[in-house]
Amino acid sequence: MEVITEGVNNINISSSTETYKKNRIQVSNTKKPLFFYVNLSKRYMQQHNEVELSALGMAISTVVSIAEILKNNGLAVEKKIMTSTVDMKDESRGRPIQKAKIEILLGKTENFDELMAAAAEEREVGYGDEQS
């Protein structure tokens, strides 16, 4: 048993996991609704002060929409936009294809915390009206 515990304690995590970012959201345009990602982005910005939205192919428009909603509501500012192409394998035909990729890094605005507090207060007042 001690050998197993020692082995687990000495595990060397490969460099591929080092590229994992805690504040990255990989957006799909089929799995979740748009406002799921908008609300998740707000939560990530509260925790990490910035969020990186990432998408491939057809989901790129969803990422742009999320970023624009956050910016238009005064919650986020663009820090960086990166575009690239990624080599992938077409599962139906088995041949390599290229997909467009976008990564948008958003940061909190100066009044982010005030806006979030005001929104939370509005929700609390709304719930109070429903209960009476």
Side-chain angles (χ1 to χ4, degrees), residues 11 29 34 40 45 57 93 95 105 109 112 126:
I11 289 177
N29 61 340
L34 177 71
L40 186 61
M45 282 194 290
R93 298 187 191 117
R95 62 180 182 171
L105 184 64
T109 57
F112 175 88

Side-chain angles (χ1 to χ4, degrees), residues 33 47-48 60-61 75:
Q47 293 171 351
H48 305 287
I60 289 174
S61 61
L75 297 168

Side-chain angles (χ1 to χ4, degrees), residues 5-114:
T5 307
E6 186 179 317
V8 170
N9 290 336
N10 293 331
I11 289 177
N12 185 10
I13 298 175
S14 68
S15 61
S16 64
T17 55
E18 290 173 17
T19 60
Y20 171 77
K21 293 182 181 177
K22 290 181 180 176
N23 65 334
R24 176 182 284 168
I25 301 173
Q26 293 179 309
V27 176
S28 164
N29 61 340
T30 56
K31 292 184 180 166
K32 301 278 185 193
L34 177 71
F35 275 89
F36 168 84
Y37 293 113
V38 171
N39 292 325
L40 186 61
S41 298
K42 290 178 190 177
R43 197 169 313 138
Y44 275 37
M45 282 194 290
Q46 282 176 322
Q47 293 171 351
H48 305 287
N49 294 324
E50 60 184 27
V51 64
E52 184 178 305
L53 301 168
S54 174
L56 294 174
M58 301 296 280
I60 289 174
S61 61
T62 305
V63 162
V64 172
S65 296
I66 295 163
E68 288 300 314
I69 289 167
L70 293 168
K71 284 173 25 187
N72 291 337
N73 288 332
L75 297 168
V77 290
E78 273 174 23
K79 287 186 165 185
K80 195 174 188 181
I81 299 176
M82 298 161 284
T83 59
S84 60
T85 54
V86 178
D87 292 323
M88 302 184 88
K89 196 167 195 169
D90 187 350
E91 290 160 16
S92 61
R93 298 187 191 117
R95 62 180 182 171
I97 56 169
Q98 287 192 321
K99 280 205 170 193
K101 179 179 183 178
I102 192 166
E103 294 170 295
I104 301 176
L105 184 64
L106 298 174
K108 282 177 156 182
T109 57
E110 287 181 19
N111 56 347
F112 175 88
D113 294 319
E114 296 164 28

